[in-house]
PDB file of all heavy atoms in Angstrom:
ATOM      1  N   ILE A 153     -21.677  -4.416  15.463  1.00  0.00           N
ATOM      2  CA  ILE A 153     -21.102  -3.656  14.371  1.00  0.00           C
ATOM      3  C   ILE A 153     -19.791  -3.016  14.806  1.00  0.00           C
ATOM      4  O   ILE A 153     -19.713  -2.410  15.886  1.00  0.00           O
ATOM      5  CB  ILE A 153     -22.097  -2.535  13.894  1.00  0.00           C
ATOM      6  CG1 ILE A 153     -23.403  -3.118  13.362  1.00  0.00           C
ATOM      7  CG2 ILE A 153     -21.411  -1.623  12.850  1.00  0.00           C
ATOM      8  CD1 ILE A 153     -23.302  -3.930  12.092  1.00  0.00           C
ATOM      9  N   LEU A 154     -18.747  -3.187  13.973  1.00  0.00           N
ATOM     10  CA  LEU A 154     -17.470  -2.493  14.213  1.00  0.00           C
ATOM     11  C   LEU A 154     -17.480  -1.259  13.339  1.00  0.00           C
ATOM     12  O   LEU A 154     -17.281  -1.345  12.129  1.00  0.00           O
ATOM     13  CB  LEU A 154     -16.285  -3.408  13.887  1.00  0.00           C
ATOM     14  CG  LEU A 154     -14.908  -2.810  14.168  1.00  0.00           C
ATOM     15  CD1 LEU A 154     -14.715  -2.526  15.661  1.00  0.00           C
ATOM     16  CD2 LEU A 154     -13.802  -3.719  13.660  1.00  0.00           C
ATOM     17  N   PHE A 155     -17.779  -0.110  13.950  1.00  0.00           N
ATOM     18  CA  PHE A 155     -17.968   1.128  13.207  1.00  0.00           C
ATOM     19  C   PHE A 155     -16.624   1.739  12.835  1.00  0.00           C
ATOM     20  O   PHE A 155     -15.729   1.895  13.659  1.00  0.00           O
ATOM     21  CB  PHE A 155     -18.773   2.132  14.030  1.00  0.00           C
ATOM     22  CG  PHE A 155     -19.229   3.332  13.259  1.00  0.00           C
ATOM     23  CD1 PHE A 155     -20.390   3.289  12.499  1.00  0.00           C
ATOM     24  CD2 PHE A 155     -18.519   4.518  13.307  1.00  0.00           C
ATOM     25  CE1 PHE A 155     -20.809   4.400  11.776  1.00  0.00           C
ATOM     26  CE2 PHE A 155     -18.922   5.639  12.592  1.00  0.00           C
ATOM     27  CZ  PHE A 155     -20.056   5.572  11.809  1.00  0.00           C
ATOM     28  N   LYS A 156     -16.471   2.079  11.544  1.00  0.00           N
ATOM     29  CA  LYS A 156     -15.233   2.737  11.070  1.00  0.00           C
ATOM     30  C   LYS A 156     -15.461   4.235  11.180  1.00  0.00           C
ATOM     31  O   LYS A 156     -16.148   4.848  10.381  1.00  0.00           O
ATOM     32  CB  LYS A 156     -14.993   2.350   9.604  1.00  0.00           C
ATOM     33  CG  LYS A 156     -14.728   0.873   9.388  1.00  0.00           C
ATOM     34  CD  LYS A 156     -13.423   0.469  10.000  1.00  0.00           C
ATOM     35  CE  LYS A 156     -13.102  -0.986   9.787  1.00  0.00           C
ATOM     36  NZ  LYS A 156     -11.943  -1.418  10.580  1.00  0.00           N
ATOM     37  N   ILE A 190     -23.818  10.469  -0.775  1.00  0.00           N
ATOM     38  CA  ILE A 190     -24.870   9.858   0.048  1.00  0.00           C
ATOM     39  C   ILE A 190     -24.788  10.399   1.472  1.00  0.00           C
ATOM     40  O   ILE A 190     -23.728  10.347   2.118  1.00  0.00           O
ATOM     41  CB  ILE A 190     -24.763   8.319   0.019  1.00  0.00           C
ATOM     42  CG1 ILE A 190     -24.881   7.806  -1.425  1.00  0.00           C
ATOM     43  CG2 ILE A 190     -25.830   7.688   0.892  1.00  0.00           C
ATOM     44  CD1 ILE A 190     -24.613   6.326  -1.608  1.00  0.00           C
ATOM     45  N   GLU A 191     -25.958  10.875   1.950  1.00  0.00           N
ATOM     46  CA  GLU A 191     -26.029  11.453   3.290  1.00  0.00           C
ATOM     47  C   GLU A 191     -25.549  10.487   4.364  1.00  0.00           C
ATOM     48  O   GLU A 191     -25.925   9.331   4.318  1.00  0.00           O
ATOM     49  CB  GLU A 191     -27.485  11.868   3.603  1.00  0.00           C
ATOM     50  CG  GLU A 191     -27.630  12.591   4.918  1.00  0.00           C
ATOM     51  CD  GLU A 191     -29.018  13.270   5.069  1.00  0.00           C
ATOM     52  OE1 GLU A 191     -29.836  13.213   4.132  1.00  0.00           O
ATOM     53  OE2 GLU A 191     -29.218  13.852   6.108  1.00  0.00           O
ATOM     54  N   ARG A 193     -22.049  11.167   5.389  1.00  0.00           N
ATOM     55  CA  ARG A 193     -20.592  11.214   5.225  1.00  0.00           C
ATOM     56  C   ARG A 193     -20.181  11.260   3.754  1.00  0.00           C
ATOM     57  O   ARG A 193     -19.094  11.737   3.418  1.00  0.00           O
ATOM     58  CB  ARG A 193     -19.935  10.094   6.001  1.00  0.00           C
ATOM     59  CG  ARG A 193     -20.063  10.281   7.522  1.00  0.00           C
ATOM     60  CD  ARG A 193     -19.390   9.166   8.297  1.00  0.00           C
ATOM     61  NE  ARG A 193     -20.004   7.879   8.120  1.00  0.00           N
ATOM     62  CZ  ARG A 193     -21.055   7.412   8.794  1.00  0.00           C
ATOM     63  NH1 ARG A 193     -21.662   8.159   9.698  1.00  0.00           N
ATOM     64  NH2 ARG A 193     -21.542   6.202   8.558  1.00  0.00           N
ATOM     65  N   TYR A 227     -34.227   0.611   1.127  1.00  0.00           N
ATOM     66  CA  TYR A 227     -33.077  -0.284   1.068  1.00  0.00           C
ATOM     67  C   TYR A 227     -32.656  -0.681   2.479  1.00  0.00           C
ATOM     68  O   TYR A 227     -33.068  -0.046   3.465  1.00  0.00           O
ATOM     69  CB  TYR A 227     -31.916   0.383   0.323  1.00  0.00           C
ATOM     70  CG  TYR A 227     -31.334   1.558   1.077  1.00  0.00           C
ATOM     71  CD1 TYR A 227     -30.158   1.441   1.817  1.00  0.00           C
ATOM     72  CD2 TYR A 227     -31.964   2.806   1.064  1.00  0.00           C
ATOM     73  CE1 TYR A 227     -29.637   2.501   2.518  1.00  0.00           C
ATOM     74  CE2 TYR A 227     -31.456   3.880   1.789  1.00  0.00           C
ATOM     75  CZ  TYR A 227     -30.285   3.725   2.482  1.00  0.00           C
ATOM     76  OH  TYR A 227     -29.778   4.774   3.188  1.00  0.00           O
ATOM     77  N   THR A 228     -31.789  -1.710   2.569  1.00  0.00           N
ATOM     78  CA  THR A 228     -31.248  -2.113   3.851  1.00  0.00           C
ATOM     79  C   THR A 228     -29.730  -1.930   3.867  1.00  0.00           C
ATOM     80  O   THR A 228     -29.088  -2.100   2.834  1.00  0.00           O
ATOM     81  CB  THR A 228     -31.575  -3.591   4.183  1.00  0.00           C
ATOM     82  OG1 THR A 228     -31.102  -4.389   3.115  1.00  0.00           O
ATOM     83  CG2 THR A 228     -33.070  -3.820   4.371  1.00  0.00           C
ATOM     84  N   THR A 229     -29.187  -1.541   4.998  1.00  0.00           N
ATOM     85  CA  THR A 229     -27.727  -1.372   5.139  1.00  0.00           C
ATOM     86  C   THR A 229     -27.222  -2.445   6.100  1.00  0.00           C
ATOM     87  O   THR A 229     -27.979  -3.329   6.508  1.00  0.00           O
ATOM     88  CB  THR A 229     -27.337  -0.012   5.750  1.00  0.00           C
ATOM     89  OG1 THR A 229     -27.557  -0.069   7.160  1.00  0.00           O
ATOM     90  CG2 THR A 229     -28.161   1.120   5.191  1.00  0.00           C
ATOM     91  N   GLU A 230     -25.939  -2.324   6.473  1.00  0.00           N
ATOM     92  CA  GLU A 230     -25.355  -3.273   7.407  1.00  0.00           C
ATOM     93  C   GLU A 230     -26.132  -3.262   8.726  1.00  0.00           C
ATOM     94  O   GLU A 230     -26.189  -4.263   9.394  1.00  0.00           O
ATOM     95  CB  GLU A 230     -23.888  -2.889   7.643  1.00  0.00           C
ATOM     96  CG  GLU A 230     -23.087  -4.028   8.239  1.00  0.00           C
ATOM     97  CD  GLU A 230     -21.688  -3.646   8.693  1.00  0.00           C
ATOM     98  OE1 GLU A 230     -21.282  -2.475   8.536  1.00  0.00           O
ATOM     99  OE2 GLU A 230     -21.034  -4.524   9.259  1.00  0.00           O
ATOM    100  N   TYR A 231     -26.749  -2.120   9.095  1.00  0.00           N
ATOM    101  CA  TYR A 231     -27.402  -2.079  10.396  1.00  0.00           C
ATOM    102  C   TYR A 231     -28.759  -1.378  10.428  1.00  0.00           C
ATOM    103  O   TYR A 231     -29.269  -1.089  11.503  1.00  0.00           O
ATOM    104  CB  TYR A 231     -26.468  -1.441  11.443  1.00  0.00           C
ATOM    105  CG  TYR A 231     -25.788  -0.166  11.003  1.00  0.00           C
ATOM    106  CD1 TYR A 231     -26.492   1.027  10.894  1.00  0.00           C
ATOM    107  CD2 TYR A 231     -24.409  -0.147  10.740  1.00  0.00           C
ATOM    108  CE1 TYR A 231     -25.867   2.176  10.513  1.00  0.00           C
ATOM    109  CE2 TYR A 231     -23.772   1.025  10.347  1.00  0.00           C
ATOM    110  CZ  TYR A 231     -24.503   2.169  10.242  1.00  0.00           C
ATOM    111  OH  TYR A 231     -23.872   3.334   9.855  1.00  0.00           O
ATOM    112  N   ASP A 253     -19.462   7.429  -1.409  1.00  0.00           N
ATOM    113  CA  ASP A 253     -19.811   7.323   0.007  1.00  0.00           C
ATOM    114  C   ASP A 253     -18.546   6.981   0.803  1.00  0.00           C
ATOM    115  O   ASP A 253     -17.516   6.649   0.230  1.00  0.00           O
ATOM    116  CB  ASP A 253     -20.889   6.236   0.212  1.00  0.00           C
ATOM    117  CG  ASP A 253     -21.704   6.441   1.489  1.00  0.00           C
ATOM    118  OD1 ASP A 253     -21.424   7.380   2.260  1.00  0.00           O
ATOM    119  OD2 ASP A 253     -22.614   5.635   1.742  1.00  0.00           O
ATOM    120  N   ASP A 254     -18.659   7.068   2.125  1.00  0.00           N
ATOM    121  CA  ASP A 254     -17.472   6.804   2.943  1.00  0.00           C
ATOM    122  C   ASP A 254     -17.181   5.303   3.019  1.00  0.00           C
ATOM    123  O   ASP A 254     -16.039   4.881   2.864  1.00  0.00           O
ATOM    124  CB  ASP A 254     -17.586   7.411   4.366  1.00  0.00           C
ATOM    125  CG  ASP A 254     -18.721   6.819   5.187  1.00  0.00           C
ATOM    126  OD1 ASP A 254     -19.717   6.354   4.603  1.00  0.00           O
ATOM    127  OD2 ASP A 254     -18.594   6.816   6.417  1.00  0.00           O
ATOM    128  N   VAL A 255     -18.235   4.488   3.243  1.00  0.00           N
ATOM    129  CA  VAL A 255     -18.031   3.051   3.480  1.00  0.00           C
ATOM    130  C   VAL A 255     -18.917   2.222   2.546  1.00  0.00           C
ATOM    131  O   VAL A 255     -20.107   2.486   2.445  1.00  0.00           O
ATOM    132  CB  VAL A 255     -18.351   2.693   4.937  1.00  0.00           C
ATOM    133  CG1 VAL A 255     -18.270   1.171   5.149  1.00  0.00           C
ATOM    134  CG2 VAL A 255     -17.416   3.408   5.911  1.00  0.00           C
ATOM    135  N   LEU A 256     -18.317   1.211   1.886  1.00  0.00           N
ATOM    136  CA  LEU A 256     -19.100   0.173   1.210  1.00  0.00           C
ATOM    137  C   LEU A 256     -19.161  -1.023   2.137  1.00  0.00           C
ATOM    138  O   LEU A 256     -18.128  -1.619   2.444  1.00  0.00           O
ATOM    139  CB  LEU A 256     -18.450  -0.219  -0.126  1.00  0.00           C
ATOM    140  CG  LEU A 256     -19.074  -1.428  -0.852  1.00  0.00           C
ATOM    141  CD1 LEU A 256     -20.530  -1.170  -1.235  1.00  0.00           C
ATOM    142  CD2 LEU A 256     -18.249  -1.815  -2.083  1.00  0.00           C
ATOM    143  N   ALA A 257     -20.381  -1.316   2.643  1.00  0.00           N
ATOM    144  CA  ALA A 257     -20.541  -2.466   3.531  1.00  0.00           C
ATOM    145  C   ALA A 257     -21.303  -3.527   2.763  1.00  0.00           C
ATOM    146  O   ALA A 257     -20.713  -4.176   1.900  1.00  0.00           O
ATOM    147  CB  ALA A 257     -21.221  -2.047   4.827  1.00  0.00           C
ATOM    148  N   THR A 258     -22.620  -3.671   2.963  1.00  0.00           N
ATOM    149  CA  THR A 258     -23.375  -4.696   2.213  1.00  0.00           C
ATOM    150  C   THR A 258     -23.760  -4.220   0.828  1.00  0.00           C
ATOM    151  O   THR A 258     -24.280  -4.996   0.039  1.00  0.00           O
ATOM    152  CB  THR A 258     -24.651  -5.085   2.964  1.00  0.00           C
ATOM    153  OG1 THR A 258     -25.522  -3.936   3.052  1.00  0.00           O
ATOM    154  CG2 THR A 258     -24.359  -5.568   4.380  1.00  0.00           C
ATOM    155  N   GLY A 259     -23.588  -2.919   0.546  1.00  0.00           N
ATOM    156  CA  GLY A 259     -23.856  -2.386  -0.788  1.00  0.00           C
ATOM    157  C   GLY A 259     -25.281  -1.908  -1.001  1.00  0.00           C
ATOM    158  O   GLY A 259     -25.605  -1.322  -2.036  1.00  0.00           O
ATOM    159  N   GLY A 260     -26.151  -2.081  -0.004  1.00  0.00           N
ATOM    160  CA  GLY A 260     -27.554  -1.683  -0.152  1.00  0.00           C
ATOM    161  C   GLY A 260     -27.717  -0.180  -0.403  1.00  0.00           C
ATOM    162  O   GLY A 260     -28.523   0.222  -1.238  1.00  0.00           O
ATOM    163  N   THR A 261     -26.941   0.634   0.308  1.00  0.00           N
ATOM    164  CA  THR A 261     -27.054   2.079   0.181  1.00  0.00           C
ATOM    165  C   THR A 261     -26.611   2.556  -1.191  1.00  0.00           C
ATOM    166  O   THR A 261     -27.321   3.334  -1.859  1.00  0.00           O
ATOM    167  CB  THR A 261     -26.161   2.759   1.254  1.00  0.00           C
ATOM    168  OG1 THR A 261     -26.495   2.209   2.524  1.00  0.00           O
ATOM    169  CG2 THR A 261     -26.384   4.250   1.266  1.00  0.00           C
ATOM    170  N   ALA A 262     -25.458   2.077  -1.661  1.00  0.00           N
ATOM    171  CA  ALA A 262     -24.955   2.519  -2.950  1.00  0.00           C
ATOM    172  C   ALA A 262     -25.875   2.047  -4.075  1.00  0.00           C
ATOM    173  O   ALA A 262     -26.098   2.762  -5.045  1.00  0.00           O
ATOM    174  CB  ALA A 262     -23.524   1.993  -3.159  1.00  0.00           C
ATOM    175  N   LEU A 285     -15.577  -2.730   3.124  1.00  0.00           N
ATOM    176  CA  LEU A 285     -15.529  -3.897   4.020  1.00  0.00           C
ATOM    177  C   LEU A 285     -15.788  -5.102   3.125  1.00  0.00           C
ATOM    178  O   LEU A 285     -16.912  -5.553   2.915  1.00  0.00           O
ATOM    179  CB  LEU A 285     -16.615  -3.765   5.104  1.00  0.00           C
ATOM    180  CG  LEU A 285     -16.544  -2.453   5.912  1.00  0.00           C
ATOM    181  CD1 LEU A 285     -17.690  -2.390   6.952  1.00  0.00           C
ATOM    182  CD2 LEU A 285     -15.201  -2.318   6.640  1.00  0.00           C
TER     183      LEU A 285
HETATM  184  P1  LIG B 661     -24.291  -0.693   3.244  1.00  0.00           P
HETATM  185  O1  LIG B 661     -25.574  -0.202   2.623  1.00  0.00           O
HETATM  186  O2  LIG B 661     -24.480  -1.914   4.081  1.00  0.00           O
HETATM  187  O3  LIG B 661     -23.193  -0.851   2.190  1.00  0.00           O
HETATM  188  O4  LIG B 661     -23.824   0.416   4.272  1.00  0.00           O
HETATM  189  C1  LIG B 661     -23.194   1.548   3.858  1.00  0.00           C
HETATM  190  C2  LIG B 661     -23.641   2.742   4.592  1.00  0.00           C
HETATM  191  O5  LIG B 661     -23.714   2.559   5.984  1.00  0.00           O
HETATM  192  C3  LIG B 661     -22.671   3.884   4.377  1.00  0.00           C
HETATM  193  O6  LIG B 661     -23.388   5.087   4.219  1.00  0.00           O
HETATM  194  C4  LIG B 661     -21.819   3.879   5.638  1.00  0.00           C
HETATM  195  O7  LIG B 661     -21.605   5.226   6.057  1.00  0.00           O
HETATM  196  C5  LIG B 661     -22.627   3.130   6.661  1.00  0.00           C
HETATM  197  N1  LIG B 661     -21.859   2.004   7.263  1.00  0.00           N
HETATM  198  C6  LIG B 661     -22.173   0.681   7.136  1.00  0.00           C
HETATM  199  N2  LIG B 661     -21.346  -0.072   7.852  1.00  0.00           N
HETATM  200  C7  LIG B 661     -20.477   0.773   8.457  1.00  0.00           C
HETATM  201  C8  LIG B 661     -19.351   0.596   9.332  1.00  0.00           C
HETATM  202  N3  LIG B 661     -18.972  -0.616   9.760  1.00  0.00           N
HETATM  203  N4  LIG B 661     -18.684   1.699   9.743  1.00  0.00           N
HETATM  204  C9  LIG B 661     -19.070   2.929   9.337  1.00  0.00           C
HETATM  205  N5  LIG B 661     -20.110   3.157   8.527  1.00  0.00           N
HETATM  206  C10 LIG B 661     -20.806   2.099   8.078  1.00  0.00           C
END
Side-chain angles (χ1 to χ4, degrees):
I153 298 294
L154 183 63
F155 190 84
K156 296 291 181 190
I190 302 173
E191 185 167 358
R193 292 181 294 277
Y227 66 101
T228 55
T229 78
E230 198 189 357
Y231 48 72
D253 204 357
D254 64 331
V255 174
L256 173 62
T258 64
T261 307
L285 305 178

